Amino acid sequence: MKAVRFHEYGGIDVLRVEEVERPVPGPGQVLVEVRAAGIQPGEVMIRRGARHGRWPATFPSGQGSDLAGVVVAAGPEVRGFAVGARVLGFTHRRASHAEYVVADDVHLVHRPEGLSWDVAGSLYVAGTTAYATVFAVDPGPGDTVVVSGAAGGVGSLAVQLARRRGATVIGLAGERNHAWLKGHGVVPVAYGEGVAERIRQAAGGRVDAFIDTYGDGYVRLAVREGVRPERIDTICDWDAAAEVGALTYGEGAAASAVVLGELARLAARGELEVPIAGTYPLERVREAYRELERRHTHGKIVLRPVRVLQDHK
């Protein structure tokens, strides 16, 4: 099968699509033909070696956690998933950017009717991360919460989940994404110089919680604006969080099939929009990451290892 590999830390040019042995599922595992697999900013940091202390790579390294596809083989003791099942889920083995991937049955859910492959294959990391950030700062009716990177893969879901809890949500994003935010009940605010004053004006003077999906000083900005550290959550600025006592709840805090299933059902019913910024065949993985690393995409970027004629087939 074809799979993405890199043999050393580095930039986009170290990524290769190689022929490798197709894996064989063991007890409690299934082999999934991958129809869609999202890509993540965290994978960029791992590939560059910037997260070696926390998430070291063993070479040659694969990539990818998110996955959606069709079960084509099952190992012994598998529960709930037969050959032919359409599934979405995740793997912790850095392996889903490939035509086939082995996944544990406890890390999968059945794909709801009406959920596209692209959304299903990009929901796990962004969705569970957004879920965890909202849970961490606990917004409710009467609260005002600010989300940085509000149109990105995680931010676009966090703003919707916070709105579902009744909070007033201020989303920091480029002006080209303001209409989308307004359409989802979010107050858009442009980032850049003077952002603190614009947040104060939008919030009417008080911010109760802050979700930082972008970094670039937002944790310290939130503290300066009077947000209590226990109601600030960042998924990227861990140094600042440690300094001020803020939270760092992310994907790992909500890494379960139960949470993923809940998000998938919301998306299938049209109650949670998962914007898709772009799709690429596996062979164009470098282009996909080049777009991601510009840090201005609206929503998720998805690899399509196995092509299908119909989105819902």
Side-chain angles (χ1 to χ4, degrees):
M1 70 171 190
K2 293 179 180 178
V4 174
R5 291 285 187 271
F6 60 98
H7 294 254
E8 60 182 334
Y9 288 133
I12 291 171
D13 59 328
V14 303
L15 293 175
R16 307 178 186 176
V17 178
E18 300 180 341
E19 293 284 343
V20 300
E21 290 293 323
R22 185 182 301 183
V24 176
Q29 297 179 330
V30 298
L31 182 67
V32 178
E33 182 187 65
V34 182
R35 301 291 176 84
I39 69 174
Q40 323 297 336
E43 292 158 355
V44 175
M45 304 305 290
I46 290 172
R47 186 238 303 151
R48 290 176 177 170
R51 295 288 183 263
H52 181 80
R54 182 181 286 234
W55 298 305
T58 301
F59 301 115
S61 178
Q63 279 195 152
S65 301
D66 285 356
L67 65 99
V70 179
V71 174
V72 294
E77 303 172 18
V78 169
R79 296 183 179 182
F81 300 98
V83 171
R86 289 159 170 76
V87 298
L88 67 148
F90 58 97
T91 174
H92 293 311
R93 299 179 182 90
R94 300 181 188 171
S96 68
H97 296 169
E99 291 178 323
Y100 296 88
V101 62
V102 163
D104 297 338
D105 58 6
V106 294
H107 294 163
L108 298 174
V109 297
H110 289 276
R111 190 189 67 166
E113 286 293 328
L115 191 67
S116 74
W117 284 119
D118 290 341
V119 170
S122 60
L123 188 56
Y124 166 69
V125 170
T128 59
T129 301
Y131 186 100
T133 64
V134 173
F135 177 85
V137 303
D138 193 26
D143 281 338
T144 296
V145 56
V146 177
V147 180
S148 68
V154 174
S156 61
L157 303 182
V159 295
Q160 295 178 74
L161 294 174
R163 284 289 297 131
R164 288 181 61 83
R165 296 181 60 154
T168 297
V169 180
I170 296 171
L172 307 184
E175 291 187 6
R176 65 176 181 165
N177 294 313
H178 284 192
W180 183 89
L181 290 168
K182 288 179 180 178
H184 289 77
V186 178
V187 180
V189 167
Y191 56 76
E193 186 176 353
V195 66
E197 176 60 27
R198 291 192 292 276
I199 290 172
R200 286 194 291 271
Q201 291 178 352
R206 191 192 84 231
V207 175
D208 301 289
F210 203 110
I211 295 172
D212 172 35
T213 76
Y214 194 83
D216 198 27
Y218 283 118
V219 170
R220 293 181 179 87
L221 181 150
V223 172
R224 290 196 299 271
E225 294 305 307
V227 184
R228 301 198 312 271
E230 64 268 26
R231 297 202 73 188
I232 302 170
D233 189 75
T234 181
I235 63 171
C236 46
D237 198 347
W238 299 313
D239 290 343
E243 179 183 314
V244 306
L247 304 173
T248 57
Y249 282 59
E251 167 255 321
S256 76
V258 173
V259 171
L260 180 61
E262 178 183 343
L263 295 170
R265 287 187 291 273
L266 287 173
R269 295 197 300 261
E271 297 175 27
L272 179 69
E273 182 184 351
V274 183
I276 302 299
T279 61
Y280 293 83
L282 196 67
E283 293 79 6
R284 294 170 58 196
V285 61
R286 292 183 180 181
E287 293 178 49
Y289 275 96
R290 194 168 288 113
E291 180 180 351
L292 178 72
E293 291 182 37
R294 295 189 182 104
R295 300 194 75 185
H296 291 294
T297 57
H298 174 41
K300 294 296 300 176
I301 298 173
V302 186
L303 297 177
R304 291 178 173 174
V306 177
R307 300 173 187 175
V308 290
L309 296 178
Q310 296 180 17
D311 195 33
H312 297 283
K313 186 175 180 182

